Coordinates of all heavy atoms in Angstrom, one line a residue:
G1 N 22.0 41.1 56.6 CA 22.7 41.7 55.5 C 22.7 43.2 55.6 O 23.7 43.9 55.1
L2 N 21.7 43.8 56.2 CA 21.7 45.3 56.4 C 22.6 45.7 57.6 O 22.7 46.9 57.8 CB 20.3 45.7 56.7 CG 19.3 45.7 55.4 CD1 17.9 46.0 55.8 CD2 19.8 46.7 54.4
G3 N 23.1 44.8 58.3 CA 24.0 45.1 59.4 C 23.6 44.8 60.8 O 24.2 45.2 61.8
A4 N 22.4 44.1 60.9 CA 22.0 43.7 62.3 C 23.0 42.7 62.8 O 23.6 41.9 62.1 CB 20.6 43.1 62.2
D5 N 23.2 42.8 64.2 CA 24.1 41.8 64.8 C 23.4 40.5 65.2 O 24.1 39.5 65.4 CB 24.7 42.5 66.1 CG 25.5 43.7 65.7 OD1 26.7 43.6 65.5 OD2 25.0 44.8 65.7
D6 N 22.1 40.6 65.3 CA 21.4 39.4 65.8 C 19.9 39.5 65.3 O 19.4 40.6 65.0 CB 21.4 39.3 67.3 CG 21.3 37.9 67.9 OD1 20.9 37.0 67.1 OD2 21.6 37.7 69.1
Y7 N 19.3 38.3 65.3 CA 17.9 38.2 64.9 C 17.2 37.2 65.8 O 17.6 36.1 65.9 CB 17.8 37.8 63.4 CG 16.4 37.8 62.8 CD1 16.1 38.8 61.9 CD2 15.5 36.8 63.1 CE1 14.8 38.9 61.3 CE2 14.2 36.8 62.5 CZ 13.9 37.9 61.6 OH 12.7 37.9 61.0
M8 N 16.1 37.7 66.5 CA 15.4 36.8 67.4 C 13.9 36.7 66.9 O 13.3 37.7 66.5 CB 15.4 37.4 68.8 CG 16.8 37.5 69.4 SD 16.8 38.2 71.1 CE 16.0 36.8 72.0
T9 N 13.4 35.5 66.9 CA 12.1 35.2 66.5 C 11.1 35.1 67.7 O 11.4 34.4 68.6 CB 12.0 33.9 65.7 OG1 12.9 34.0 64.6 CG2 10.6 33.7 65.1
K10 N 10.0 35.9 67.6 CA 9.0 35.9 68.6 C 8.2 34.5 68.6 O 8.0 34.0 67.4 CB 8.0 37.0 68.5 CG 8.7 38.4 68.6 CD 7.6 39.5 68.4 CE 8.1 40.9 68.5 NZ 7.1 41.9 68.2
P11 N 7.8 34.0 69.7 CA 8.0 34.5 71.0 C 9.4 34.0 71.6 O 9.9 32.9 71.2 CB 6.9 33.9 71.8 CG 6.6 32.6 71.1 CD 6.9 32.8 69.7
F12 N 10.0 34.8 72.4 CA 11.2 34.4 73.1 C 11.2 34.9 74.5 O 10.4 35.7 74.9 CB 12.5 35.0 72.4 CG 12.3 36.5 72.2 CD1 12.6 37.4 73.2 CD2 12.0 37.1 70.9 CE1 12.5 38.8 73.0 CE2 11.9 38.4 70.7 CZ 12.1 39.3 71.8
S13 N 12.0 34.3 75.3 CA 11.9 34.6 76.8 C 12.7 35.9 77.0 O 13.7 36.2 76.4 CB 12.6 33.5 77.6 OG 14.0 33.5 77.4
P14 N 12.2 36.8 77.8 CA 12.9 38.1 78.1 C 14.3 37.8 78.7 O 15.2 38.6 78.4 CB 12.0 38.7 79.2 CG 10.6 38.1 79.0 CD 10.9 36.7 78.5
S15 N 14.5 36.7 79.4 CA 15.8 36.4 79.9 C 16.8 36.1 78.8 O 18.0 36.4 78.9 CB 15.7 35.3 80.9 OG 15.2 34.1 80.3
E16 N 16.3 35.5 77.7 CA 17.2 35.2 76.6 C 17.6 36.5 75.9 O 18.7 36.7 75.5 CB 16.5 34.3 75.6 CG 17.4 34.0 74.4 CD 16.7 33.3 73.3 OE1 15.5 32.9 73.4 OE2 17.3 33.0 72.2
L17 N 16.6 37.5 75.8 CA 16.9 38.8 75.3 C 18.0 39.5 76.1 O 19.0 40.0 75.5 CB 15.7 39.6 75.2 CG 15.9 41.1 74.7 CD1 16.3 41.1 73.3 CD2 14.6 41.9 74.9
V18 N 17.9 39.5 77.4 CA 18.8 40.1 78.3 C 20.2 39.5 78.1 O 21.2 40.2 78.0 CB 18.4 40.0 79.8 CG1 19.5 40.4 80.7 CG2 17.2 40.8 80.0
A19 N 20.3 38.1 78.0 CA 21.5 37.5 77.8 C 22.2 37.9 76.5 O 23.4 38.1 76.4 CB 21.3 35.9 77.8
R20 N 21.4 38.0 75.4 CA 22.0 38.4 74.1 C 22.4 39.9 74.2 O 23.5 40.3 73.6 CB 21.0 38.2 73.0 CG 20.6 36.7 72.8 CD 20.1 36.5 71.4 NE 19.5 35.2 71.3 CZ 19.1 34.6 70.1 NH1 19.3 35.3 69.0 NH2 18.6 33.4 70.0
V21 N 21.7 40.7 74.8 CA 22.1 42.1 75.0 C 23.4 42.2 75.7 O 24.3 42.9 75.2 CB 21.0 42.9 75.8 CG1 21.6 44.3 76.3 CG2 19.8 43.1 74.9
K22 N 23.6 41.5 76.8 CA 24.8 41.5 77.5 C 26.0 41.0 76.6 O 27.1 41.6 76.6 CB 24.7 40.6 78.8 CG 23.9 41.1 79.9 CD 23.8 40.2 81.1 CE 23.0 40.8 82.2 NZ 22.9 39.9 83.4
A23 N 25.7 40.0 75.9 CA 26.8 39.4 75.0 C 27.2 40.4 73.9 O 28.4 40.6 73.7 CB 26.3 38.1 74.4
H24 N 26.3 41.1 73.3 CA 26.6 42.0 72.2 C 27.3 43.2 72.8 O 28.3 43.8 72.2 CB 25.4 42.4 71.4 CG 24.9 41.3 70.5 ND1 25.6 40.8 69.5 CD2 23.8 40.5 70.5 CE1 25.0 39.8 68.9 NE2 23.8 39.6 69.5
L25 N 26.9 43.7 73.9 CA 27.5 44.9 74.5 C 28.9 44.6 74.9 O 29.9 45.4 74.7 CB 26.7 45.4 75.7 CG 25.4 46.1 75.4 CD1 24.7 46.4 76.7 CD2 25.7 47.4 74.7
A26 N 29.1 43.4 75.5 CA 30.5 42.9 75.8 C 31.4 42.8 74.6 O 32.6 43.2 74.7 CB 30.4 41.6 76.6
R27 N 30.8 42.3 73.5 CA 31.6 42.1 72.3 C 32.1 43.4 71.7 O 33.2 43.6 71.4 CB 30.8 41.3 71.3 CG 31.6 41.0 70.0 CD 30.8 40.1 69.1 NE 29.6 40.6 68.6 CZ 29.6 41.4 67.5 NH1 30.7 41.7 66.8 NH2 28.4 41.9 67.1
Y28 N 31.1 44.4 71.7 CA 31.5 45.7 71.2 C 32.5 46.4 72.1 O 33.4 47.0 71.6 CB 30.2 46.6 71.1 CG 29.6 46.5 69.7 CD1 29.0 45.3 69.2 CD2 29.6 47.6 68.9 CE1 28.5 45.3 68.0 CE2 29.0 47.6 67.6 CZ 28.4 46.4 67.2 OH 27.9 46.3 65.9

């Protein structure tokens, strides 16, 4: 609601974080 594009709950795999980073940068 404050404007975040995504929310990840720990623990998560670093590779998943990288995948989401790539997806959001590509979308922007």
Side-chain angles (χ1 to χ4, degrees):
L2 287 171
D5 296 271
D6 205 347
Y7 187 103
M8 299 182 68
T9 304
K10 298 177 183 178
F12 51 79
S13 71
S15 57
E16 180 186 358
L17 176 65
V18 172
R20 296 202 190 190
V21 165
K22 289 180 178 178
H24 286 295
L25 287 173
R27 182 171 66 86
Y28 266 66

